[in-house]
Amino acid sequence: MKNRIRVLHVAQAAGGVDRYIRMLFKYMDHDKFENILVCSHDFKRVDYNGLADAFEHVDMQRPIGKADIDAMKAVRRLIRKYQPDIVYAHSSKAGAIARVANIGLKKNGDKIKCIYNPHGWAFNMRCGKKKQMIYTAIEKMAAPFCDKIICISEAEKQSALDKKICKQDKLQVIVNGIDIEEYEQRKIAGLSTVSRKSCGIPESAFVVGMVGRISEQKAPDVFIKAAKQIKQKIPEACFMIVGDGPDREMIEEYARENNIALFISGWVENASDYISLFDVALLLSRWEGFGLAIPEYMLAGKPVVVSRVDAIPEIVKDTENGLLVKPDDIDGTSNAVLELYKEGALQMKLRNKGMITVHEKFDVKRTAKESEMLLNSVINGGGTI
């Protein structure tokens, strides 16, 4: 295949970024685009068989430190080796490394283009003011070294404008999406081996679940404290967390001390298999670039209770396709779940509207198509789609 646009993707953080890149590679036109992945050791080569045209590991670490210099040198060598048309940097750390590594490099006499997708701004995290200032300063300094910044939500774009990261014309919103086709094919084929029995959950239980890393961002502490209140009103309630993380032991200890029936799956490849067991789905994030779990919940036909932060209100309209609660609101969360438990008509309304929402707005095929349009525009000297 000749005259394909060669895109060299650089990524450090796995998790949601890994899933995003895989879906992008899957649905981009392979006759028109060649995708090369340069990534940290958190990514698995086997996951990109048949998706990536080339795959390279580089030692990239999450903390800022001296190792970043070596990572920049390694990425720069690979840019020279592959001679891409565009360098596409994913997430904050890779965004800084790739943009610096690409400075001054050319292909056929022309500057190698660069685009950047933060996948959620680091300066929006709950951290000290000093860290927020450092993250903001890094983004401002690195912004001139890319041609376009992709925001995965309107909220992310507005955050960039509020912080004066760059001028508005450098920002392009390409709303995130999920792989609806894969979900439907997997469901038709009956590939899931997960059941309530295999998870030790009674068939009659009312299951309240969440998908996400068990860490401060996803507020597992709010989830488990709300679970205590819910259990007092719904004795048959059981709780499930699909994921893992540094706060797991603390959450499990709280569940044991308060006699809460809690199942934690650990990291799994197909979260949708577990989502199918939920009666109500929660995402109580304290900050969120997008919140992919929400359209995944909706696709599975689950009523959602989610926090009103960042991009989430762009997905969920309160009482229309889900229920919104304030962040850190334990009482509000438990009351919303109790309302859904009691009101079957509300449950059905939210299920139906949620499924319509995800099909209309959050198909990753649309994300891939808009990404192709932007890549073409950047190559042709434009920058908007």
Side-chain angles (χ1 to χ4, degrees), residues 81-98:
K81 172 184 174 180
Y82 285 104
Q83 287 287 288
D85 299 292
I86 299 176
V87 171
Y88 186 162
H90 297 266
S91 75
S92 301
K93 171 50 77 74
I97 289 172

Side-chain angles (χ1 to χ4, degrees), residues 233-252:
K233 300 291 180 67
I234 310 174
E236 68 272 26
C238 291
F239 302 87
M240 177 179 289
I241 299 176
V242 182
D244 211 331
D247 293 344
R248 176 171 180 165
E249 187 175 333
M250 177 182 70
I251 299 305
E252 289 179 322

Side-chain angles (χ1 to χ4, degrees), residues 208 220-240 251 253-262 282 284 329-331 333-335 337-338:
V208 180
D221 53 322
V222 177
F223 176 88
I224 201 66
K225 289 173 182 176
K228 180 181 178 180
Q229 295 186 3
I230 294 164
K231 184 75 173 178
Q232 292 170 352
K233 300 291 180 67
I234 310 174
E236 68 272 26
C238 291
F239 302 87
M240 177 179 289
I251 299 305
E253 183 178 356
Y254 186 94
R256 285 192 299 270
E257 290 175 351
N258 291 279
N259 198 30
I260 298 168
L262 174 67
L282 274 56
L284 306 173
D329 189 351
I330 297 167
D331 292 342
T333 299
S334 59
N335 288 337
V337 172
L338 289 169

Side-chain angles (χ1 to χ4, degrees), residues 141-368:
M141 288 188 291
F145 301 110
C146 63
D147 299 275
K148 206 71 178 176
I149 297 176
I150 296 175
C151 300
I152 56 176
S153 67
E154 290 289 345
E156 192 171 48
K157 177 182 177 180
Q158 189 58 50
S159 287
L161 295 174
D162 291 344
K163 294 287 187 179
K164 296 180 171 55
I165 299 302
C166 62
K167 291 183 179 180
Q168 184 165 333
D169 60 3
K170 182 166 279 193
L171 301 168
Q172 177 69 53
V173 176
I174 299 180
V175 176
N176 218 337
I178 62 171
D179 195 341
I180 295 175
E181 180 180 292
E182 181 179 324
Y183 172 84
E184 292 177 343
Q185 289 177 346
R186 185 173 178 82
K187 187 175 181 180
I188 291 169
L191 296 178
S192 175
T193 58
V194 177
S195 66
R196 289 192 171 192
K197 184 177 181 181
S198 70
C199 297
I201 296 173
E203 290 296 330
S204 60
F206 182 76
V207 180
V208 180
M210 66 168 269
V211 174
R213 191 166 186 263
I214 308 176
S215 62
E216 181 189 6
Q217 180 193 0
K218 304 296 183 181
D221 53 322
V222 177
F223 176 88
I224 201 66
K225 289 173 182 176
K228 180 181 178 180
Q229 295 186 3
I230 294 164
K231 184 75 173 178
Q232 292 170 352
K233 300 291 180 67
I234 310 174
E236 68 272 26
C238 291
F239 302 87
M240 177 179 289
I241 299 176
V242 182
D244 211 331
D247 293 344
R248 176 171 180 165
E249 187 175 333
M250 177 182 70
I251 299 305
E252 289 179 322
E253 183 178 356
Y254 186 94
R256 285 192 299 270
E257 290 175 351
N258 291 279
N259 198 30
I260 298 168
L262 174 67
F263 172 85
I264 298 179
S265 69
W267 296 120
V268 297
E269 184 62 29
N270 290 293
S272 60
D273 294 348
Y274 291 85
I275 293 171
S276 68
L277 309 182
F278 295 1
D279 289 296
V280 174
L282 274 56
L283 190 70
L284 306 173
S285 305
R286 294 183 164 105
W287 67 88
E288 193 66 68
F290 183 80
L292 272 178
I294 300 171
E296 290 177 340
Y297 295 160
M298 291 176 169
L299 185 59
K302 306 302 175 182
V304 302
V305 176
V306 295
S307 55
R308 191 191 299 270
V309 295
D310 300 329
I312 289 179
E314 295 177 33
I315 307 171
V316 176
K317 306 302 178 187
D318 194 29
T319 71
E320 291 184 22
N321 59 357
L323 299 181
L324 290 169
V325 296
K326 293 181 291 186
D328 295 313
D329 189 351
I330 297 167
D331 292 342
T333 299
S334 59
N335 288 337
V337 172
L338 289 169
E339 183 180 7
L340 288 170
Y341 176 75
K342 295 174 182 176
E343 300 292 338
L346 178 60
Q347 269 203 48
M348 187 60 65
K349 173 189 172 182
L350 300 186
R351 289 174 190 268
N352 292 339
K353 186 61 177 176
M355 292 186 76
I356 292 170
T357 299
V358 73
H359 279 88
E360 287 182 348
K361 297 182 178 180
F362 302 116
D363 191 333
V364 78
K365 289 182 180 179
R366 187 255 323 136
T367 305

